[in-house]
Amino acid sequence: MPLLILLVYIIVEVAAIAGLVSLVGFWWTLAIILGSILAGSVLFASQTRSSMRQVSAAMHGEGSPASALADTATVGVAGILLTIPGIVTSAIGLLILFPPTRVLLRPVVPYLFFRQQRRAAERMGYTGMGFPGMGDGPAGRRRGGTIIDGEVVDTSTRPTAEDGTIIEGEIAPPPPDGPDPGEKQDPNEEDPRQ
């Protein structure tokens, strides 16, 4: 997949440069490329300062933290696009740097971020409730075991008898053919556990 993306990038950039050279000539194409580099670096520096001011204001309770982070992320993406050589990537980077375009991209950034985080978590085996290998529900499947719903009552004390002795032990599984613990047993019937 990365090789395909690289191949598409090269084809698009070469076609854009060839089209621009045939349209305006070699020297004007070179001037456009150099002008986009200069305009991109100036605009990137000013928009980086602006987004850092937004983040600082959001940290002090002024403004929206989500929009500040989205603006910072889009400025970062624009900076990456401006450093990649080519006319098309530079044009997209310049377009993203303009504040009106970033306003349109604000809702897209959190969606892409959380989608990427979800994919990374799924690759690592974290799904559903955020525990390794669990399914989507509270009683989901787990690799290598069974989940038993329950709650922790108090972990600071251990169970004791009325005289103060500590009671220790394990919960044993019910016998295969035995009666349920809440079920009354016939007194004439023999206890299968004996």
Side-chain angles (χ1 to χ4, degrees):
M1 185 69 177
L3 187 60
L4 179 65
I5 293 171
L6 180 65
L7 185 64
V8 168
Y9 159 74
I10 290 172
I11 290 171
V12 167
E13 290 294 348
V14 168
I17 289 174
L20 197 59
V21 167
S22 69
L23 188 66
V24 296
F26 174 77
W27 294 109
W28 280 109
T29 301
L30 186 61
I32 290 171
I33 291 172
L34 293 175
S36 70
I37 291 172
L38 180 64
S41 61
V42 169
L43 192 57
F44 177 71
S46 72
Q47 293 306 310
T48 301
R49 284 190 298 273
S50 171
S51 65
M52 288 299 114
R53 280 192 300 270
Q54 271 187 304
V55 169
S56 177
M59 288 175 64
H60 291 97
E62 304 164 5
S64 169
S67 65
L69 290 176
D71 277 353
T72 304
T74 53
V75 167
V77 168
I80 291 170
L81 288 172
L82 288 170
T83 59
I84 296 173
I87 293 175
V88 175
T89 55
S90 295
I92 294 170
L94 284 170
L95 187 65
I96 291 173
L97 278 179
F98 287 113
T101 310
R102 286 204 320 266
V103 169
L104 296 175
L105 290 175
R106 275 185 196 150
V108 176
V109 172
Y111 169 76
L112 293 175
F113 174 76
F114 288 120
R115 189 180 75 174
Q116 183 65 27
Q117 293 301 313
R118 187 179 66 243
R119 284 183 182 169
E122 287 171 357
R123 279 195 305 268
M124 293 172 43
Y126 289 85
T127 60
M129 292 175 45
F131 298 105
M134 291 189 71
D136 289 331
R141 292 178 312 200
R142 188 177 77 189
R143 285 183 235 142
T146 303
I147 296 175
I148 300 172
D149 288 331
E151 64 181 77
V152 176
V153 178
D154 188 5
T155 60
S156 61
T157 61
R158 297 174 73 183
T160 60
E162 292 174 7
D163 64 354
T165 57
I166 295 175
I167 303 170
E168 292 189 11
E170 297 178 0
I171 299 175
D177 295 330
D180 288 334
E183 186 179 303
K184 291 196 173 194
Q185 191 174 7
D186 186 9
N188 297 333
E189 191 178 308
E190 187 176 319
D191 188 358
R193 292 179 283 187
Q194 295 176 358

